[in-house]
Amino acid sequence: MLRLVDYPAPVALAALTCLIQRKSRGFFVAQNERRIPEPIKRQIRQRCGFGCVICGFPLYEYEHMREWAIVKEHHPGEMTLLCPTHHAEKTRGLLPVEDVWAANSRPHNLRLGVSEAFPLRYSGDSCLVNLGSNRFAHDFTRDAVIPALTIRGCPVIRVKKQDGCLLLSLRIFDKEGNPLLTVDDNELIFSVDSWDVELVGKRLTIRAGLGLILAQVEFYPPSAIVINRGTFAYDGFPVRVAPDHILLEKYNIRMEKSGASMNGHGGFNFN
């Protein structure tokens, strides 16, 4: 079988050009063309309120409201977000497409202003909290409330063992003091006013623009949480977390690679 390299260079070049032109006109469909480009994904997330348009659940799949087999293109205005349950219902014909279009025009989370609560599966007798490169570990010997991060007397990150359950609570704010992310006893809720919110695997990222990360948290049930970026604040006192440090702006103090392991009350305490 002859290959392009077996032809004289001008002939091979002409043949290759013809192949590229035919592909660009749609003669060939590459296997990865079903992959949705990231800018289109972001447009869909923003329009849908970063969750299933029907129930608001932040675990979702990108869905063509008109089937891919028909449209064969990723048009953000004709795509939506559905949680796995509602996606399966639509695929099986149990959820009418008309209902999906209606929910897409009035997404659940945009109507409420916040996401639907997402349950985090924390449990056990120990916890680990990473703030930047700073580490706090605690072993519970009995039911207790552990303030992992306290600012002016207010526990803004708290881990509680109650009736054999491990419950996580935290608050992350933007620079203006508006809440971005809240966890109340393992119930995760985020604001939909942000430019972009994306939950991929265990990592939740909140952005103010391209490359501008406001908060980034990784959840590792049953016992660990890693906070790469975020601002924790109380009473006008912000504590800023970056991937490799904690910054106390008021005192221009930077903390790196500190840590503690204990089985009593304790944590990071800033006044």
Side-chain angles (χ1 to χ4, degrees), residues 121-129 138 159 166 220-225:
R121 311 295 182 180
Y122 283 92
S123 61
D125 298 319
S126 64
C127 67
L128 171 66
V129 178
H138 181 84
V159 182
L166 202 61
Y220 292 92
S223 59
I225 179 172

Side-chain angles (χ1 to χ4, degrees), residues 228-249:
N228 297 313
R229 296 182 188 273
T231 297
F232 299 86
Y234 181 74
D235 194 24
F237 188 109
V239 176
R240 306 202 189 281
V241 177
D244 60 350
H245 68 272
I246 296 174
L247 178 63
L248 309 181
E249 291 187 342

Side-chain angles (χ1 to χ4, degrees), residues 79-255:
M79 299 179 67
T80 194
L81 300 181
L82 293 178
C83 69
T85 298
H86 286 119
H87 190 190
E89 289 182 3
K90 176 181 178 294
T91 300
R92 289 164 173 75
L94 299 172
L95 174 61
V97 177
E98 294 79 8
D99 290 0
V100 177
W101 280 98
N104 180 72
S105 66
R106 298 183 68 247
H108 178 281
N109 288 347
L110 292 186
R111 287 188 282 111
L112 272 62
V114 294
S115 70
E116 184 68 18
F118 176 65
L120 298 170
R121 311 295 182 180
Y122 283 92
S123 61
D125 298 319
S126 64
C127 67
L128 171 66
V129 178
N130 265 34
L131 290 169
S133 61
N134 303 274
R135 171 189 177 104
F136 167 77
H138 181 84
D139 290 322
F140 291 88
T141 56
R142 63 184 186 279
D143 286 4
V145 178
I146 303 301
L149 174 61
T150 301
I151 301 175
R152 290 190 170 175
C154 177
V156 294
I157 302 179
R158 184 195 69 198
V159 182
K160 176 171 61 175
K161 185 180 179 184
Q162 178 178 297
D163 299 329
C165 297
L166 202 61
L167 303 174
L168 171 70
S169 297
L170 64 85
R171 304 279 189 277
I172 296 182
F173 302 85
D174 63 17
K175 292 181 180 180
E176 286 71 42
N178 302 309
L180 292 174
L181 171 66
T182 300
V183 177
D184 277 322
D185 290 345
N186 289 352
E187 293 288 324
L188 166 66
I189 296 175
F190 55 79
S191 169
V192 298
D193 292 333
S194 301
W195 183 77
D196 187 27
V197 181
E198 185 178 25
L199 179 59
V200 177
K202 298 179 177 69
R203 176 179 291 179
L204 178 70
T205 303
I206 302 176
R207 300 181 180 89
L210 283 175
L212 301 176
I213 296 177
L214 292 175
Q216 189 173 80
V217 181
E218 297 177 27
F219 301 99
Y220 292 92
S223 59
I225 179 172
V226 176
I227 300 168
N228 297 313
R229 296 182 188 273
T231 297
F232 299 86
Y234 181 74
D235 194 24
F237 188 109
V239 176
R240 306 202 189 281
V241 177
D244 60 350
H245 68 272
I246 296 174
L247 178 63
L248 309 181
E249 291 187 342
K250 182 175 181 179
Y251 303 115
N252 195 29
I253 295 176
R254 178 183 173 116
M255 296 179 57

